[in-house]
Amino acid sequence: MKLDRRSLLIGGGAGVGLIVAVALWPRRWTSELSVGSGEEAFGSFIKIARDGKITVAVPQVETGQGIWTALPQIVADELGAAWETIAVDPAPLAKGYANPLAGEEGWPGNMRITANSTSIRGFERPLREAAATAREMLIGAAADRWNIDAARCDTADGFVISGVRTATFGELAKEAAERRPTAHPPLRTAEKSRLTGQPLQRLDGPAKADGSWRFAGDVRLPGMLFASARMAPPGGRLKRYSREAMSSVPGIRHVAAREGWIAVVADSWWAAQRALHAADPIFSGVKVPPGTARTTFERALANGDAERWFSRGDYVSAVRGSRPLAATYYAAPSQHLSLEPLTATARIGANGAEIWAATLAPGFGAANTATLYPMSPGEPAGQAMESIAGPIALELARATGRPVQVMLSQSSTQNHARVAPGALARMTALPGAGGITAAWAMKVATVDGLGGALARLSGKGAPSEFGKSAFDGAVPPYSIPDVRIDAVHLALPYVAGYMRGSPSREFAFFTESFVDELAHAAGMEPLGFRMAMLGGNGRLARCLQAAARLANWDGGGSGSTMGIAGASAFGSHIGLVAMASIGDDQRVKVHRLFAAVDCGRAVSRGLVEQQIAAGLIWALGQATVPALEWVAGMPRARPIGGIALPRLVDAPEVVVEIIPSSEAPGGVSGLGCIPLAPAVANAIHAGSGKRMRSLPFDPMAAG
């Protein structure tokens, strides 16, 4: 298979995945899709072949969240197709495939991006409308052929049907494609839905199971060379290296030393890495004393200028003459902890520059100077938002005249992959009648991780102010009459970027842990305390009640091992009960997790369950690994096997219940990440009396 083409994945009737090379560049003005022999395009998302195969062009990146199954499932259900005939193809890099929620999220318009659990929320409606239009065109073609009223026809399992008469989509495709599309086609009602909600086989599953799914590190081109690189710390530069020491390593083809990096090109990556290690490059960098990250936040919170980010009611009047309860919470900067190293491949040919790299924003960065072939990331947490290896690969390809694949070592990847920025928050609240919270305030020091990533990708540098996404989840989901949120922007001594579930994950830790403190201060049971404040958020209330029922909630009182937390994010809601304790080794041990989720209409219940469980386990790793250490403004690299990530034998039992809903679909890929930390922290407090106000957890330092 040629890897300089995009790949199509099709589900076989026996569950076998096939990968077929196709070209996707637009050839007709009526559709941005490339149409092969025997195929017809129906708008920008759907192609139907004479043999009945239906190809769905998916604009979003498959990161393991199952979007290459969920979006085609939406099309198949609305169209009335048989699942075994559905194929998926990455949509071409064209403006027509921009994320519809980019404007709502505060991102640049016409932006192709996979982030913040927007894929289903953004594309469910456009894909349903595209499929409904194609369905009406197929029905119209069949009705004309049979000389009957189109209202007497319907679609099911890949056929247009009317009584005993049937015609396959493939038979009708050519006639249907010549018809004028219906302006506002009717969408299927829930009663006629056959595939929505069903746990269908993932289209990417077989290829990932047998190893044929290709990631950035799997790219192989004729004559390709391999390179390893090291980069300077933030603000640093290359000072010296030993060219003589690397000369003894066989297979070296080229050495490139620049102010901000050094790379060795060789016949194999291992040879390049050995030579780079022998060269022992030395960089200048800023010394960062231990504890600098938290100290930076503390200084900003104490001395920085705050801006009012959110206000409801009159907090000042509400607390005048009283003494609100207060607590300070901290979420340290955190790494993606990906097994996939930062990798990119570049080639300079007669048609210009080409790059193969994992990316969540294929319309940015190298795509402005080269043809970009986006590869699926090998991790789900957002490391691929910024492909920092791409520019190095391009320069090396130009210098050598051959394709070059740059792969950073695991250590260098940890040093330079962007971290979640972290945050420090001073929480205050005033108990009202019956202990229910009457006023709430948060003053938080943080930066906009995703905004910073997008600014760098667009060449604008780091933003000096907050974007809309910087405070996702900051407003508590409760009916508190007087609320204010103040924000302090600060300059961090490290580079922060996008991470799955953030900053909602950090804000939920602050909010739900503090709510637990308020409940105990009022002498109230934590679930009942929350329910009394959820008059305006019935969906979250139902999730909390359902999670409590699943767990046989014991009230979370002194001596319990249970903690509860909830969150509303991405148009979805989740309640979580965690059973946790502190082990003899003074480490947090999570025994069982019970989650109840309302994500609106669940496109695939199987995918929702997978994503919630995966998010919970990933967040558990983030909450329990040791805090980062820093060297010259970079995270110090740590052996992946030695930082106590959750292993299968230690992973808690996870129970997920999906609450039926007719509401619009919400996002779930980051939802499970959000309530884990506060639910576990609340469980630890119930069992031990220790209140953990910092992430990652350190029971020895808990109050």
Side-chain angles (χ1 to χ4, degrees):
M1 174 184 167
K2 294 181 180 179
L3 282 177
D4 59 345
R5 296 293 188 187
R6 301 172 186 273
S7 296
L8 174 146
L9 186 68
I10 181 170
V16 179
L18 302 175
I19 297 181
V20 183
V22 295
L24 283 177
W25 307 115
R27 297 176 183 170
R28 310 191 295 186
W29 70 270
T30 53
S31 175
E32 292 167 317
L33 296 177
S34 157
V35 180
S37 176
E39 288 184 323
E40 300 294 337
F42 291 78
S44 297
F45 291 105
I46 300 169
K47 293 189 295 185
I48 301 178
R50 291 173 191 165
D51 62 3
K53 182 180 70 181
I54 300 165
T55 303
V56 181
V58 175
Q60 300 300 86
V61 176
E62 174 59 65
T63 67
Q65 84 281 45
I67 205 62
W68 277 25
T69 297
L71 293 183
Q73 188 168 347
I74 290 168
V75 170
D77 186 67
E78 190 65 48
L79 188 60
W83 184 242
E84 60 268 20
T85 66
I86 297 294
V88 61
D89 220 10
L93 294 177
K95 290 184 178 180
Y97 300 100
N99 190 319
L101 295 184
E104 281 185 35
E105 296 288 330
W107 307 332
N110 293 322
M111 185 175 190
R112 183 86 168 265
I113 184 173
T114 303
N116 276 20
S117 299
T118 55
S119 297
I120 294 292
R121 292 187 289 148
F123 284 98
E124 191 242 10
R125 184 77 184 192
L127 284 173
R128 287 191 69 188
E129 290 175 349
T133 299
R135 184 188 69 234
E136 293 301 298
M137 294 167 75
L138 289 164
I139 285 175
D144 285 354
R145 180 182 290 189
W146 298 331
N147 195 27
I148 62 174
D149 188 344
R152 296 171 55 188
C153 301
D154 201 353
T155 60
D157 299 323
F159 292 86
V160 176
I161 56 176
S162 179
V164 297
R165 284 181 288 200
T166 64
T168 69
F169 290 173
E171 293 175 52
L172 297 167
K174 184 173 177 57
E175 300 165 53
E178 293 173 352
R179 298 179 64 85
R180 183 181 296 276
T182 303
H184 300 288
L187 301 181
R188 284 193 188 277
T189 61
E191 291 73 21
K192 287 191 174 183
S193 176
R194 299 186 181 190
L195 298 180
T196 294
Q198 298 301 312
L200 303 179
Q201 176 176 304
R202 290 181 61 144
L203 292 182
D204 58 337
K208 288 180 176 176
D210 66 20
S212 58
W213 186 277
R214 286 164 174 81
F215 296 96
D218 297 320
V219 173
R220 295 295 181 268
L221 301 173
M224 190 173 83
L225 298 173
F226 300 84
S228 183
R230 289 191 193 175
M231 302 169 64
R237 62 182 181 84
L238 179 64
K239 294 174 63 177
R240 61 182 181 274
Y241 68 98
S242 175
R243 182 178 287 271
E244 181 180 352
M246 71 173 75
S247 62
S248 61
V249 179
I252 304 303
R253 297 302 187 100
H254 181 71
V255 177
R258 304 291 184 266
E259 183 176 277
W261 53 270
I262 180 173
V264 178
V265 183
D267 292 329
S268 70
W269 183 85
W270 182 237
Q273 174 65 7
R274 286 176 57 207
L276 191 58
H277 180 75
D280 190 24
I282 303 297
F283 297 92
S284 65
V286 179
K287 291 185 178 180
V288 180
T292 296
R294 177 154 188 162
T295 300
T296 302
F297 282 107
E298 289 174 342
R299 288 174 178 168
L301 198 64
N303 305 313
D305 293 330
E307 62 176 279
R308 183 63 41 82
W309 185 258
F310 177 86
S311 181
R312 180 171 66 218
D314 188 347
Y315 176 84
V316 174
S317 296
V319 301
R320 184 176 292 121
S322 61
R323 296 186 60 185
L325 298 175
T328 299
Y329 281 85
Y330 176 60
S334 55
Q335 293 174 295
H336 297 92
L337 299 175
S338 167
L339 295 178
E340 181 180 45
L342 291 166
T343 305
T345 301
R347 177 171 66 184
I348 310 296
N351 295 323
E354 300 170 289
I355 290 183
W356 290 258
T359 176
L360 299 180
F364 276 88
N368 296 325
T369 57
T371 298
L372 175 66
Y373 302 104
M375 307 297 290
S376 291
E379 57 85 34
Q383 176 178 288
M385 183 60 72
E386 298 179 76
S387 179
I388 62 178
I392 298 176
L394 264 180
E395 186 162 342
L396 295 177
R398 288 192 179 98
T400 61
R402 292 173 60 177
V404 176
Q405 182 176 96
V406 174
M407 181 181 294
L408 273 63
S409 68
Q410 179 60 236
S411 294
S412 290
T413 294
Q414 288 191 42
N415 290 153
H416 295 286
R418 313 314 190 191
V419 299
L424 180 72
R426 178 68 171 171
M427 316 290 292
T428 57
L430 179 68
I436 304 304
T437 303
W440 175 283
M442 176 173 67
K443 182 180 180 182
V444 59
T446 189
V447 302
D448 186 355
L450 177 55
L454 298 181
R456 287 187 292 271
L457 287 170
S458 60
K460 297 179 181 178
S464 58
E465 56 187 24
F466 296 112
K468 183 178 179 181
S469 62
F471 291 94
D472 287 344
V475 180
Y478 301 102
S479 299
I480 302 172
D482 300 294
V483 178
R484 77 175 187 190
I485 297 173
D486 293 339
V488 179
H489 195 281
L490 70 160
L492 295 173
Y494 50 86
V495 182
Y498 170 70
M499 184 174 286
R500 172 194 192 190
S502 290
S504 295
R505 179 170 59 98
E506 292 84 348
F507 286 129
F509 174 58
F510 303 162
T511 297
E512 287 296 280
S513 297
F514 192 45
V515 165
D516 210 65
E517 291 199 52
L518 296 172
H520 284 282
M524 297 181 65
E525 181 266 325
L527 174 60
F529 184 78
R530 287 172 168 82
M531 296 300 295
M533 297 191 294
L534 280 172
N537 195 341
R539 295 175 70 186
L540 178 56
R542 286 190 292 274
C543 289
L544 288 166
Q545 289 175 318
R549 172 180 48 78
L550 288 173
N552 292 316
W553 171 249
D554 63 6
S558 179
S560 170
T561 59
M562 290 188 176
I564 194 166
S568 297
F570 317 127
S572 297
H573 310 268
I574 183 171
L576 178 69
V577 173
M579 297 179 64
S581 61
I582 298 176
D584 294 338
D585 58 358
Q586 293 301 300
R587 292 184 57 83
V588 171
K589 173 66 176 176
V590 179
H591 310 287
R592 304 180 77 185
L593 296 169
F594 302 89
V597 176
D598 178 353
C599 60
R601 294 189 303 275
V603 173
S604 169
R605 296 177 67 86
L607 289 177
V608 172
E609 291 172 358
Q610 291 169 19
Q611 284 305 294
I612 296 301
L616 290 169
I617 297 299
W618 179 84
L620 177 59
Q622 290 288 336
T624 55
V625 300
L628 288 176
E629 297 179 1
W630 298 87
V631 53
M634 304 182 300
R636 187 184 298 277
R638 302 176 287 183
I640 287 291
I643 56 176
L645 286 170
R647 298 173 182 269
L648 186 60
V649 68
D650 301 315
E653 176 189 359
V654 180
V655 179
V656 179
E657 178 178 299
I658 302 171
I659 296 175
S661 175
S662 60
E663 298 289 339
V668 297
S669 64
L671 187 66
C673 310
I674 296 173
L676 183 283
V680 171
N682 295 339
I684 295 299
H685 178 264
S688 68
K690 292 185 175 182
R691 179 63 68 182
M692 293 187 291
R693 297 190 180 96
S694 295
L695 283 177
F697 297 142
D698 181 0
M700 298 293 289

